[in-house]
Amino acid sequence: MGETKKKPYYKSDTCEVSRMENETGDGISTAFRVFPGIYLLHSDFHMQECPTVKSEDADILWLDFCREGRVEWEISKDKYVYLESGNYVIDIRAGRKFTLHFPMGHYHGISLRIHMKEANQALADFIKGVNIDVYTIRDKFLSEGQPFITKGNEIIHHIFEEIEQVPWDSSGEYYKIKVLEILFQLKNMERPKEQIERPYFVKQQVEIVKEIRDFITASPEQHYTMEELSKRFEIPVSSLKRCFKGVYGTAIYSFMRSYRMDMAGHLLAETGETVAAIAAKVGYTNCSKFSEAFKEATGMTPIDYRKFKSHRE
């Protein structure tokens, strides 16, 4: 991957907007200063990967919530887990620089970056008589020394959804309330048990699966069996199935079916090629079967889809 460039778009005392660009795409990160030491970040990435910034500050606690898409998270050297919509991770990133991979090519999330010492003082000054200690939250969720990743608590999930729906205002009062709600929930909730059950994948398997994904999407007109891919890439069929679904969130055949239909939709909208030619490009020798599959995926026949797209333009 080439260099990722970070370009500042806008900056004020309470808000900073930056754009990230590399050869895999681009993304926008918007950071709001909600309290002294507490920042709320909106991330909207349409790219395959983006490196994190290495920090040696062990006093920063991160809470990252995956709203849409999928993100690869390194839990230790050469071991990865995957966040999907509704998952969140609590982490201390001190001393680590790693690359965030977005297997579906996009990621939309909300994060809290908490500078704990400064945040504790600000919270004590803001809400007299209510004790929210972020060090206690850190110790509860990170007692095992690894990032804590789990399915979203229903209440926390709802709070993040509310944050997403409300634009930033100059006072930031709404965000203050929502951040306090999240911290209060984390303070009082029991440590969920899903972390223990979440599978992880080793780097070697992940790299093979990504090679397989690149291989099959480069020639969508071809159909490969699991056994053929297993032999070509020297990975057991069972490991291939398990790891591919872990990385991309779906079975390999379902992934390719969606990929072919997305490609067909693009070709129908952007080119004048015949339906038969497009069907062949996405692996269908029978035009009728292609039309049936496309209608099942989009709700429209290829011809109706093309008309719909042309009328919208």
Side-chain angles (χ1 to χ4, degrees):
M1 184 188 72
E3 180 187 0
T4 298
K5 297 179 180 179
K6 182 177 179 180
K7 301 179 179 180
Y9 256 27
Y10 170 81
K11 188 173 183 178
S12 70
D13 291 339
T14 56
C15 178
E16 181 176 353
V17 183
S18 300
R19 182 184 182 93
M20 269 66 71
E21 292 180 341
N22 60 38
E23 63 188 23
T24 72
D26 57 27
I28 296 289
S29 175
T30 306
F32 302 105
R33 181 179 178 273
V34 182
F35 292 104
I38 301 181
Y39 297 83
L40 182 70
L41 294 84
H42 291 264
S43 298
D44 293 285
F45 295 119
H46 293 273
M47 56 204 312
Q48 294 293 329
E49 53 189 65
C50 183
T52 61
V53 177
K54 185 176 180 179
S55 171
E56 299 298 338
D57 192 345
D59 197 55
I60 300 176
L61 182 69
W62 287 85
L63 170 62
D64 297 277
F65 178 79
C66 178
R67 182 172 57 82
E68 183 183 332
R70 198 168 182 85
V71 58
E72 177 183 285
W73 205 271
E74 186 176 14
I75 57 170
S76 61
K77 184 172 175 57
D78 297 339
K79 289 183 180 181
Y80 306 98
V81 296
Y82 292 84
L83 276 72
E84 58 191 17
S85 177
N87 291 174
Y88 65 88
V89 55
I90 300 173
D91 194 12
I92 298 286
R93 301 181 187 174
R96 294 161 55 209
K97 178 177 172 61
F98 56 95
T99 297
L100 294 174
H101 292 268
F102 311 119
M104 307 311 293
H106 67 97
Y107 170 76
H108 307 277
I110 304 173
S111 303
L112 288 181
R113 187 179 78 224
I114 305 172
H115 300 252
M116 290 183 280
K117 184 177 180 180
E118 186 180 4
N120 265 358
Q121 184 60 56
L123 292 171
D125 292 341
F126 186 77
I127 43 172
K128 302 293 184 182
V130 178
N131 180 31
I132 296 179
D133 184 344
V134 291
Y135 287 108
T136 301
I137 293 172
R138 176 202 62 185
D139 294 343
K140 174 166 54 175
F141 289 97
L142 300 181
S143 58
E144 298 175 2
Q146 289 188 344
F148 179 82
I149 302 173
T150 188
K151 296 177 182 178
N153 169 280
E154 238 180 77
I155 298 174
I156 292 177
H157 194 157
H158 181 67
I159 297 169
F160 276 118
E161 287 181 340
E162 291 179 326
I163 289 173
E164 183 64 29
Q165 294 168 7
V166 176
W168 176 251
D169 63 89
S170 58
S171 65
E173 291 178 352
Y174 185 81
Y175 280 3
K176 284 183 171 66
I177 294 169
K178 293 303 163 185
V179 166
L180 289 173
E181 287 182 11
I182 291 170
L183 294 176
F184 187 78
Q185 288 297 324
L186 292 174
K187 171 193 171 185
N188 290 289
M189 69 186 284
E190 292 185 9
R191 188 178 190 274
K193 299 177 181 180
E194 288 90 340
Q195 170 79 357
I196 301 170
E197 303 167 1
R198 180 174 290 273
Y200 69 82
F201 302 92
V202 297
K203 183 177 182 179
Q204 183 182 14
Q205 285 187 333
V206 169
E207 288 180 344
I208 290 173
V209 161
K210 289 178 180 178
E211 287 179 19
I212 291 173
R213 187 264 182 198
D214 291 344
F215 175 73
I216 59 180
T217 56
S219 304
E221 74 281 3
Q222 299 290 333
H223 293 266
Y224 298 98
T225 66
M226 299 296 287
E227 290 71 22
E228 288 172 330
L229 294 172
S230 169
K231 185 177 180 180
R232 178 184 285 268
F233 291 91
E234 299 181 349
I235 180 174
V237 170
S238 58
S239 298
L240 169 56
K241 289 180 178 178
R242 177 176 173 272
C243 191
F244 193 96
K245 188 170 184 179
V247 174
Y248 295 103
T250 186
I252 193 166
Y253 291 133
S254 298
F255 177 90
M256 279 308 296
R257 184 167 58 247
S258 296
Y259 183 87
R260 290 186 173 105
M261 293 302 103
D262 288 345
M263 180 178 174
H266 173 76
L267 292 172
L268 286 165
E270 302 296 331
T271 76
E273 294 185 71
T274 65
V275 172
I278 292 171
K281 282 188 173 182
V282 297
Y284 286 83
T285 55
N286 185 306
C287 198
S288 295
K289 287 186 177 180
F290 165 69
S291 295
E292 289 176 8
F294 190 84
K295 186 174 182 179
E296 182 179 348
T298 66
M300 289 183 277
T301 66
I303 292 174
D304 288 340
Y305 184 87
R306 173 171 274 169
K307 290 177 180 177
F308 171 74
K309 287 293 185 178
S310 63
H311 287 158
R312 288 191 65 182
E313 294 175 359

